[in-house]
Amino acid sequence: MFVAKTGFLFFLLLSLFFLQNLQAQTTLKLNGVVQDTVKAGIPGANVRLISGKDTMNTSTDSVGRFSFTVKRSAPAAQVSILVRGLGYLPNGKEFTLSDDSREQALSALILKDASNQLSEVVIKAKVIPMRLMKDTVEFNAAAYTVREGDNVDELLKQLPGVEIDKDGNVSSGGKEMTKLRVNGKDFFTSNVKEFISQLPAGIVDKLQVIDDYGDKANFTGVKSGEPQKMLNLVLKDKRNRGTFGNAGLSGGTNNRYVANLHANVWRDDSQLGLNGQASNTNTGAGINNSSNTGFTFRDKVGKNLSLNGNYNFQRNRTELSQQNYIETVNSLGTVYNESSTQDESKGTNHNFDMGLQSVSGVNYLNGSIRGSLNNSESMGLTSSKQTGVIRQDLLNGNRSDQHSPNLNADFNMARHFKKQGRTVSVGLTAGNNISNSVQDQNNRIGYYDPETELLVKDSLRNQLVDTRNRVQNINASLTVTEPLGKTLDSVAQRNIDFSYMYAYTHTSNELVTNVQNDLYAYRRVDSLSNKYTSSFSTHTIGINYRYSTKGLNYSIGVTGQPNVLTGAYEGRADKISRTGFNVSPVARFDFTPSPKTTYSLVYNGNSNAPDFNQLQPVPDTRNLQNVIIGNPDLKASFNHSVNLSYRSVSPANGSTLQLSVRATAVQDQVVSNTVLIRDTLNSLKQETRYLNTGGNYNVGSNYFWSIPLSGKKFNIELKGGASYNRRVSYADNIKNFGKGLGLNQGLSLRMNQKWLMLSTSASYIYRSNVYSLATANSNVIQTWMFNGDAKIFIANSFNAGFNTSKTINQGFAIAGRNPLLMGTYVEKTFFKRKGSIKLEGHDLLNQGNNISRVVSDNSITESRNNQITRYFLLSLNWRLQSFPGMGGSMRRGRS
């Protein structure tokens, strides 16, 4: 009987084994990718598979991949796959199934741009100016005006929501674009400002503005933190090679000069660039004489492996003249500090980086090392006058030398496993950053009687302050992603992420203060010297659930963050040891109900440690009118932030509407405590100390609305926002609440005609600040700005331009004019626009000035930099551009 039962059980197990094996042999997993004509993956494309009478549907992921599991009814069975994507022509293909494996990789399915097709038939496709794709807004270059000789920056100026300032920096939605790619690949140094003025606009097919979470996030699908704004240029077919750059020489009044050379050779994956520049400029940062030179390279060294490197050397010499006005409130009233500074500095900077990257369908690997060496020296003279609660004068002569070597490295690796959706990624970063400085200060302090305001004492104090700071950090992370339910042949994808991150920062700081005696000899002052070390470590453990369909993506989870802050002081037995534990939710929500509309909600939370200046309990006397003393009992703070955004576009005419609401709150924020101390003359002196406190938050909203008119010949843009912040600080150990309100509104009109490009704008900014202390006064500043910029194309080889701006400031304590700035230029091109000569005039009325305001804790700081802004400049430029198939005629956008 036992033998019979055993035989039956053995037979049953054997049958199940063969049945499972038979099932495995009759199913096949198909893996494929959908790409455009430049081999970039297309996310969100609809993929339909037809196998006999069965039909299955799915959508491509963020990098264009898809997968199906099909039954294999007979050897050499065939399936049909049809792919459709918004803005692309559909494409279909038949595949023969493999009969000797469980998994089969399909050849890429290529979709062609709908707007570039039908060129040889009578009916032409209507150009779609823009389209929305999850984290990407794509603009069709064919819908905008491209003139002969235009570079990419001229094309970007026509895009709704994209702005280029006078220094060439590009922003979208108020955020600066920090990274450039071409055809989805890293491009030379990836510097947006540098290359948009060198690449010709005529080779560009699409311009994509992307919220980029990094290469590892694109590979794994796990997004975290705030995205960067990235510009990706999709080029026309066979334009991924060429030679480009420029050379120029300029000279003008006020010793102005510029000489530059940029030369780049591009052969798809092989890139080599050389650059050099020398100039004299006069901006809000002072009169700056600078020169720099460098090179960059990138090349493919294996099937999926690329190597890149970059080196740059820079030399600077700057002369600065600045005025500052500071109001600091306390329980007795307000301290007013007016100062003027004359400073000269010079320095050299060496910067290098080298990286190695490999990306395939299964593996991702990226490693890089970056280093810099900065040396600088400066000499300055500052004269300041304190009034209000404290009456004191200070004349400070300062000479400093600084030496800062830095070295950082990171390594990231990820892998997709056979089970679709299963991914493991690891990351490691490390850094060693040093900053050493020596300051030789000569101080002359005048003390006044607070009632009679007569000079009581004139004191001299000369000191030598030696500061040595080193910050070392290491971060390690591990993320494991496991799919839930069905694989990609299902409409919805569900994943669970397990993550762990360890972050460690070690800071060592040595402060040595030597004071000069009557015999001109220096002696160390132990009470003003200290050697301090601190360490801050966090362990972040998280679990996260992700759900993804074509129109809906969300993730919810929770993280726990235990942290430890330790510190020690040389010569003291007491140690610092602070522990904390924070639990915060993780939430991200992206909803795309239609190709025209997206909604997004993101929450983030993170810990921040106090810096060494806030921790060390030794007086920092480098500013004798505001001595800083740290607090070794400080705890780490924790930040909460929530962002809600809405975006709607009209692909037909290119109009767009963006709305956003944001809120932040900080637990245990480190804030200043400004106290007044009596000295030996019964006069008051100011000291800044630090405390932890709660109650700090900030809320705000912004909107942007762009409306094209008359076939994009005109464009109206409205933008504005409002913000409210509540800041907690202390004055003489009394809690002080600062409440700030900000409003801004702007209106601009852009016109783009064959012979004229015109842009005008008007904006208004309102800022108010009120403190809860009865002794403080409310502060309100208002600024009106009006701008106009015109470029006239008089002939094919001759153009002229004019720009003007008027600023009206109200409420600033620093006296300053309301400047009217006017500038103009004429330009003549020759040799088929390769060469040009240009004459410019800047600030013709000589009214330029630079005023700014910063509100921090219980202080308001206003600054004005004196500068010479009126000058004339004559420039000779030569453009180096050679790309396959470059034409010479102007292209107008089609509606």
Side-chain angles (χ1 to χ4, degrees), residues 520-590:
Y520 301 102
Y522 284 98
R523 62 177 180 84
R524 172 174 170 145
V525 181
D526 291 335
S527 61
L528 301 178
S529 304
N530 179 59
K531 188 174 183 180
Y532 165 75
T533 60
S534 69
S535 298
F536 181 69
S537 62
T538 61
H539 301 263
T540 305
I541 305 168
I543 183 171
N544 190 48
Y545 171 78
R546 286 188 292 120
Y547 176 89
S548 177
T549 61
K550 183 178 180 180
L552 175 64
N553 297 271
Y554 68 84
S555 62
I556 54 174
V558 64
T559 63
Q561 294 183 342
N563 62 77
V564 179
L565 175 64
T566 61
Y569 306 90
E570 188 178 69
R572 292 178 52 169
D574 55 320
K575 308 289 184 182
I576 296 175
S577 182
R578 303 281 180 270
T579 60
F581 185 82
N582 295 287
V583 177
S584 68
V586 176
R588 182 181 298 275
F589 176 88
D590 295 295

Side-chain angles (χ1 to χ4, degrees), residues 77 187 298 364 487 591 681 726 783:
F187 191 71
R298 187 181 303 275
Y364 166 81
T487 52
F591 178 48
L681 298 175
R726 183 178 185 264
T783 302

Side-chain angles (χ1 to χ4, degrees), residues 851-882:
I851 299 179
S852 63
R853 169 180 280 202
V854 176
V855 178
S856 176
D857 290 339
N858 57 347
S859 294
I860 299 174
T861 302
E862 294 181 6
S863 300
R864 184 179 71 185
N865 298 332
N866 296 332
Q867 56 190 104
I868 301 173
T869 55
R870 180 166 64 180
Y871 65 95
F872 296 88
L873 196 68
L874 180 65
S875 305
L876 179 64
N877 294 281
W878 187 266
R879 292 199 292 186
L880 313 170
Q881 291 182 348
S882 176

Side-chain angles (χ1 to χ4, degrees), residues 130 152 272 303 519 562 589 612 787 883 893:
M130 62 189 300
V152 173
L272 177 64
K303 183 179 180 181
L519 300 177
F589 176 88
F612 67 91
N787 298 281
F883 286 87

